[in-house]
Amino acid sequence: MKKIISFIFAITVLLTSMTTLATQKFTVFAAASLTDAMQEIGQSYQAQHPDHEIVFSFASSSVLARQIEQGAPADIFISADQKWMDYLIDHQITENKQTLLKNSLVLIAPSNQHNKNVIINQQTDWSTLLPKDDKIAIGDPDHVPAGIYAKESLTNLGAYEHLAPHFARASNVRDALMLVERQEAILGIVYSTDAKISQKVQIIGTFPPESFKSIEYPISLLNSEANDFFQFLQTSQAKLIFEKYGFMTL
């Protein structure tokens, strides 16, 4: 009897070990603005590759880049700007990068407000759009890519100093979106892709693309074992999903 029990235990351990070995787990660190698109792409990939598990960590690119620098186990990194990918290159964490996607920058307001379309240029009357005590939600312009793009655009349009006291600074672009959804800010500056996924906000203006650097999402393979999913992100199937969420594919 003891021999039978030992044999069964050994088989159980072997099968468990084989299952563990058969399932490969890869971790993708990606900018918060990619949340919905990447989750759908991950599900699509796993349906075709049941022996692979894709785990995501979404946050501001600056936070993710610093976590990777400090040793966080990321296999793929997708940043919302070139700056934080170059940060990892400068710190010799990675040597490779390529631009995967592009995006645009928009002005939003709660969907239940009757805002007129706003033409954003150097003549925009921000005093009328944003009364004295009201707030405009923005990713922290000191380190969040969406906020950095917004700061560059507003500076070039001559509006940054006027609007800075009104900023409701958020830790990432999704938090900025949430502030407007909750009407804790009457305006917000986010990526067009973030605005499009919410039923609680409306796009009332688009920032002129010549007023800031192109919004580019570079991708880097940090672990060669994750190359299959890395390549999948560049297939026509993945591109259709990215485009569904409003991203511009290359």
Side-chain angles (χ1 to χ4, degrees), residues 118-126 156-159 206-208 210:
V118 178
I119 297 175
I120 301 176
N121 54 32
Q122 292 183 329
Q123 285 73 49
T124 302
D125 186 358
W126 291 99
N156 289 330
L157 295 173
T206 299
F207 286 83
E210 66 274 11

Side-chain angles (χ1 to χ4, degrees), residues 214-232:
S214 176
I215 301 175
E216 298 177 346
Y217 289 69
I219 182 172
S220 179
L221 179 65
L222 305 177
N223 177 6
S224 60
E225 292 185 4
N227 183 61
D228 192 61
F229 185 61
F230 178 79
Q231 296 298 330
F232 183 79

Side-chain angles (χ1 to χ4, degrees), residues 72-124:
D75 299 303
I76 294 172
F77 176 46
I78 311 176
S79 173
D81 68 355
Q82 299 287 353
K83 172 185 175 181
W84 289 106
M85 187 64 75
D86 290 340
Y87 177 85
L88 293 186
I89 292 175
D90 292 342
H91 286 75
Q92 300 181 335
I93 307 298
T94 185
E95 296 178 352
N96 68 88
K97 72 168 184 174
Q98 61 191 78
T99 301
L100 182 68
L101 306 164
K102 291 188 176 183
N103 211 334
S104 57
L105 198 65
V106 298
L107 183 68
I108 60 171
S111 57
N112 61 0
Q113 291 187 9
H114 300 291
N115 294 78
K116 296 181 179 180
N117 289 333
V118 178
I119 297 175
I120 301 176
N121 54 32
Q122 292 183 329
Q123 285 73 49
T124 302

Side-chain angles (χ1 to χ4, degrees), residues 4-247:
I4 294 175
I5 293 174
S6 296
F7 177 75
I8 293 173
F9 178 75
I11 292 296
T12 301
V13 171
L14 178 61
L15 290 174
T16 301
S17 177
M18 289 176 64
T19 300
T20 302
L21 290 172
T23 302
Q24 289 185 289
K25 179 179 177 180
F26 299 114
T27 302
V28 179
F29 278 30
S33 53
L34 291 164
T35 300
D36 299 88
M38 288 298 294
Q39 286 179 336
E40 183 169 337
I41 290 172
Q43 292 170 1
S44 179
Y45 178 81
Q46 289 181 158
Q48 299 173 45
H49 302 80
D51 58 335
H52 288 66
E53 181 183 0
I54 307 298
V55 177
F56 295 105
S57 177
F58 298 107
S60 169
S61 300
S62 59
V63 171
L64 296 174
R66 290 192 177 106
Q67 288 177 349
I68 293 171
E69 181 201 2
Q70 293 166 9
D75 299 303
I76 294 172
F77 176 46
I78 311 176
S79 173
D81 68 355
Q82 299 287 353
K83 172 185 175 181
W84 289 106
M85 187 64 75
D86 290 340
Y87 177 85
L88 293 186
I89 292 175
D90 292 342
H91 286 75
Q92 300 181 335
I93 307 298
T94 185
E95 296 178 352
N96 68 88
K97 72 168 184 174
Q98 61 191 78
T99 301
L100 182 68
L101 306 164
K102 291 188 176 183
N103 211 334
S104 57
L105 198 65
V106 298
L107 183 68
I108 60 171
S111 57
N112 61 0
Q113 291 187 9
H114 300 291
N115 294 78
K116 296 181 179 180
N117 289 333
V118 178
I119 297 175
I120 301 176
N121 54 32
Q122 292 183 329
Q123 285 73 49
T124 302
D125 186 358
W126 291 99
S127 298
T128 300
L129 292 171
L130 199 65
K132 183 177 180 180
D133 296 323
D134 287 315
K135 297 294 183 181
I136 179 169
I138 182 175
D140 191 327
D142 291 332
H143 64 88
V144 176
I148 294 171
Y149 289 123
K151 178 179 180 179
E152 181 182 6
S153 179
L154 291 171
T155 298
N156 289 330
L157 295 173
Y160 184 78
E161 293 300 325
H162 171 73
L163 291 178
H166 295 270
F167 288 164
R169 297 174 180 240
S171 60
N172 60 63
V173 69
R174 286 299 174 90
D175 285 349
L177 174 69
M178 190 182 301
L179 289 173
V180 182
E181 288 179 326
R182 294 176 176 175
Q183 299 190 42
E184 294 176 26
I186 67 167
L187 296 175
I189 303 175
V190 299
Y191 299 128
S192 62
T193 49
D194 296 295
K196 289 176 181 177
I197 66 165
S198 175
Q199 300 297 315
K200 297 180 180 180
V201 305
Q202 58 179 317
I203 296 174
I204 62 172
T206 299
F207 286 83
E210 66 274 11
S211 66
F212 56 92
K213 294 178 182 178
S214 176
I215 301 175
E216 298 177 346
Y217 289 69
I219 182 172
S220 179
L221 179 65
L222 305 177
N223 177 6
S224 60
E225 292 185 4
N227 183 61
D228 192 61
F229 185 61
F230 178 79
Q231 296 298 330
F232 183 79
L233 289 169
Q234 300 168 65
T235 63
S236 57
Q237 182 178 351
K239 286 182 178 181
L240 285 174
I241 296 174
F242 281 127
E243 290 168 0
K244 169 185 171 183
Y245 287 93
F247 290 98

